[in-house]
Amino acid sequence: MKTSIVIKKGLSSDMRFDLKDGAGSDAVHTSPVYAYAVCRLVTDSNLEGVGLAFTLGSGNKIVCQAIEYLVRHVEGKEIYELMSDFGTIYKKMADDPNFRWLGPHKGVVQLALAAVVNACYDLWAKAEGVPLWKLLTSLTPEQLVNTLDFSYYEDILPKYEALDLIKKQQAGISSRESIIETGYPGYDTSIGWFNYSDEKIITNVKMAMDRGFTAMKLKVGSKNAAHDIRRAELVRRIAGDQATIMFDANQQWNLPQAIDICTKLKDLNPYWIEEPTHPDDVYAHIALAKAVDVPLALGEHVPNKVIFKNFIQSGCMTFNQVDAVRVGGVSEFILISLLSRKFNIPVVPHVGDMGQIHQHLVLFNHITLGHPALLLEYIPHLREHFKSPAIVKDGKYLTPMEPGMSADLLKHEYSL
Amino acid sequence: MKTSIVIKKGLSSDMRFDLKDGAGSDAVHTSPVYAYAVCRLVTDSNLEGVGLAFTLGSGNKIVCQAIEYLVRHVEGKEIYELMSDFGTIYKKMADDPNFRWLGPHKGVVQLALAAVVNACYDLWAKAEGVPLWKLLTSLTPEQLVNTLDFSYYEDILPKYEALDLIKKQQAGISSRESIIETGYPGYDTSIGWFNYSDEKIITNVKMAMDRGFTAMKLKVGSKNAAHDIRRAELVRRIAGDQATIMFDANQQWNLPQAIDICTKLKDLNPYWIEEPTHPDDVYAHIALAKAVDVPLALGEHVPNKVIFKNFIQSGCMTFNQVDAVRVGGVSEFILISLLSRKFNIPVVPHVGDMGQIHQHLVLFNHITLGHPALLLEYIPHLREHFKSPAIVKDGKYLTPMEPGMSADLLKHEYSL
C-alpha cells in the first residue's frame, strides 16, 4: 500500500541565467538569457515536484504567471490518483476556458502547461523513489496510455492502437535495456555558437573530439550564405570526414534562401540541417525537402501534438526534435514519440532542459517504445545550477539514478 | 505639412464583460466572459490611439502584461514616421528576443502584438481625422506595402508581387466604392448560441429576418450528432430554403466525428461549416474537404500569416476568417487578405472586436483589394460599451464616419 501524497500548493519561480562569452548565441538571439519558468508542487510530505519550461529572456515572467493560474487544477490532488488517469486532467488543463483563447495549445499557456505537467511527473517519480526513466519503463502499457490525452489523434493514433504499438515492442525490451549500462550517446551542441570566432570553433571541435564526442552541431542561419558555408567547411575540415556534423539555422532563412544554402551545405554531408525556416511552415519544409535531398531536423519550436502530427504526416521531417519543456510536458512528449514511432521517425530531442529531463526520456523512448538510441544534445552551460547535473563521459550520458527527473535547481530564486 | 504627433507612453487596460442569459456560449465556453486586452497610446496631442486584442476570461490579464512590455517599441516614435515604414517596426516587435521563444508569432505575445499594432493604426487614422477605411483606401500602393512585413512570404507573395496585385485592382475601385453608400451586408451570429433553447432559437431566427438579415449562424459542435442536426434542421425550417445558414462547431469534433456530422449537415445546404476540428490541423481539414463536399470556413484561431499561408496553399479553406484582433493586428490582416486575394479565397472575418474594426477592414478589402463584399459577422453583445457602436440597418453595416477604427470604449476600467 502506497503512502498518500497530496499536492498542497503550486508555486512558480522565474529563474534567469546569464551566459558568458557568446555561449547560446544563435541567428535570433545575440546575447541570450536562458530562463526557466519553474513550477514547484509543495506536498504534505517532504517531497516537492519540480517542473521546468524553458524560455529566453524577460518574457519568462509571463509564463510564471500562467503557471500560478493553471496549477489550481492539481492542487489538492493525491499524486498516485492524479497519475492513474492523467490524460483526463491533462485535457482539462489544456482546454481551461480562461486560457484556451490564448492558444489553443501554444505559446505562453502551453509553456505553463509544460511546467505543471513536468512537476507532476517529477513528484510521481520521487514518490516512487526512482528516476523518471525507471518509473516510465516500469509502467504497464495500460498505465502508460492512461497518462496521455489522445484528443485529435483519433484519426491517426487512437488509444487502442497506441496500446498495441507499445505491446508489440515488449519483446525487445530486455536487449534494449543494455543502454542503461552503456550510456546514451550525446552530441556536442556548443562547438560553434553564432558569435564564436573561427579560432574558438577550431578549439572547441578539437576539445569535443578529445572528450569522446563523434557528433557535433554548428549554428548557421546567417543572411550571408558564404559566411555560413565557410564556417561549415571549417568544422568539417577539423572534425574530419567520419564525424557526424549538424547545422542549425534557427528558422532564419525564407524558402528560397533555404533551398539555396541547403544545396550548398549538402556537399558537406551533414547528418541533418535543423530548423531551416519558419517552424509553422509545413509546406515550405515539404518544398525544401523536395528541392534538396538533405535530412531535416524539426520540432524545437513546434508547440503541440497537432502541428507535430501535421509535420509527421507531411513526410518532410527526418528527425523529430520534440522538447518536453516546450510542448505540454512529458505527457505530450510521450504521445508525440508514439506517433513518431509509428511513422519510423527517430526522436532526437531539443533540450531546453539542458538534457536533464531528456536523458530520462530518451532511455524510455528506446527501451519501451523501441526508438533507436541515436543521439542526445549535450549543452553544459547551466550545469552548475542543477542539484544533479547530467554526467557525460566519453561522449555518453551516464544513466541518472537519483529519484525524479533531475530538474531540481540549487536555488528557488535566481535573477540577473 | 502635417503636425508631428509623438507617442509618449503606452498603457494597457484589462477589460472584461459578462454576457447575459447564455449569450456567447459555444461548444468550448459555457459561461463566457468576453475580454479586451487594450493598448492605449498616449501622445503629446489630445489624440489617443486605442488598440484591441480579444480574449475570453481571466487569461486576458497576461496579454495586458505582454502589451506593457511590447509597447516600448513604439514609445517616443512620431506616428507618421512610424507608419511610413511600419513593416520594419512590425518585424522588430514580432521578433523581439525577449518574447520570441514564447511564440514565435502565436499565443499571448501575438495577441499583445495585435493590440499594439491596432493602436498605431487607430492613432494614424485619428491623426488624419478620417475613419480607418478612408485612410487605408487612400494610401498609394507603395505606402500600403510599406506597412506590411513580407518575411516568410518570399516564396508565395513577395513585396513586388503584392504591389502589382494592388495596382491591378485600381481599375475597379470607383465602381466598388458604391459600397460606402449601400452599406456592407451583415449576418446574425447570435440566433443560436450553444446554450439557447429551441424556443429562443425560433424567436431569434424570426427576429433576425424581421431586421433584414438573410444570413445567420448556428452554434453546433456537440458530441451528440443528433442534437446538432435537430437544431440545424430547426433553423433551416424556420428561416426557409432561401436563407443563408452557417454552422459553427468551434473545433469540437475530431476528424472521424467531423466527417460523420458534416456529411449529415451538408443536406441542409449550409453556406459554410466553421471550425470543424482543431485549428492547427491542416491535414485533417484537407481530409475532411476530400471526404465531404461542403464549404469550410477557417481562421478564427489561426494565429499568424504562416499558418494562414499553409491553409491557403492546402486548398481546403473555402472562406478565410482572419481576425485582426487575433493575428498581429491590421498590418498582418492586410497581408493575409492580400494572399487570400491572390488565391481567390474570400475574406469573411471573425469579429472578436464585435465588428467595430472589421467594418473598416472589409470596406478596404473590397474597395482596394477587390475582394467580393460578401458578409460581415454581426454580434451586438458589447455595443453599449463602445463610444461609437457599429450601426446595422436592414441587415447592413452603415459606413462608419468617425475618425479612427471605432475601437474606443466608454471606460478605461471595467471589470466584473
Side-chain angles (χ1 to χ4, degrees), chain A residues 307-350:
Chain A
I307 304 186
F308 268 105
K309 176 172 103 167
N310 276 237
F311 270 110
I312 288 170
Q313 286 177 290
S314 77
C316 67
M317 178 186 266
T318 323
F319 295 98
N320 182 339
Q321 296 190 293
V322 54
D323 184 335
V325 296
R326 150 72 72 181
V327 297
V330 169
S331 174
E332 197 167 42
F333 178 96
I334 292 175
L335 184 61
I336 293 163
S337 294
L338 271 163
L339 186 64
S340 211
R341 184 72 189 85
K342 173 176 168 179
F343 282 77
N344 283 315
I345 298 172
V347 174
V348 189
H350 173 264

Side-chain angles (χ1 to χ4, degrees), chain A residues 139-157:
Chain A
L139 297 175
T140 67
E142 288 77 10
Q143 285 174 316
L144 189 57
V145 296
N146 283 343
T147 64
L148 312 179
D149 170 22
F150 288 86
S151 309
Y152 301 108
Y153 269 39
E154 296 84 354
D155 57 316
I156 197 154
L157 187 70

Side-chain angles (χ1 to χ4, degrees), chain A residues 54 58 62 65 98 100-101 103 105-107 152 154 251 254 278 280-283 304 309-310 326, chain B residues 54 57-58 62 65 98 100-103 105-106 152 251 254 278 280-283 304 309-310 326:
Chain A
F54 176 70
S58 65
I62 303 178
Q65 279 156 5
N98 278 305
R100 201 173 185 285
W101 197 274
H105 315 137
K106 55 181 69 73
Y152 301 108
E154 296 84 354
Q251 321 166 12
N254 59 45
H278 197 287
D280 297 341
D281 203 338
V282 178
Y283 280 92
N304 63 49
K309 176 172 103 167
N310 276 237
R326 150 72 72 181
Chain B
F54 176 70
S58 64
I62 301 177
Q65 279 156 5
N98 278 304
R100 201 174 183 284
W101 197 274
L102 309 186
H105 315 137
K106 53 182 72 72
Y152 301 108
Q251 322 165 12
N254 59 47
H278 197 287
D280 297 340
D281 203 338
V282 177
Y283 280 92
N304 63 48
K309 176 172 104 168
N310 277 237
R326 150 71 72 181

Side-chain angles (χ1 to χ4, degrees), chain B residues 281-326:
Chain B
D281 203 338
V282 177
Y283 280 92
H285 285 94
I286 294 174
L288 176 60
K290 276 191 190 150
V292 190
D293 182 24
V294 69
L296 299 181
L298 312 170
E300 171 179 337
H301 275 75
V302 174
N304 63 48
K305 62 184 175 186
V306 175
I307 302 185
F308 268 106
K309 176 172 104 168
N310 277 237
F311 270 110
I312 288 170
Q313 287 177 291
S314 78
C316 67
M317 178 186 268
T318 322
F319 295 98
N320 181 338
Q321 296 191 294
V322 53
D323 185 334
V325 296
R326 150 71 72 181

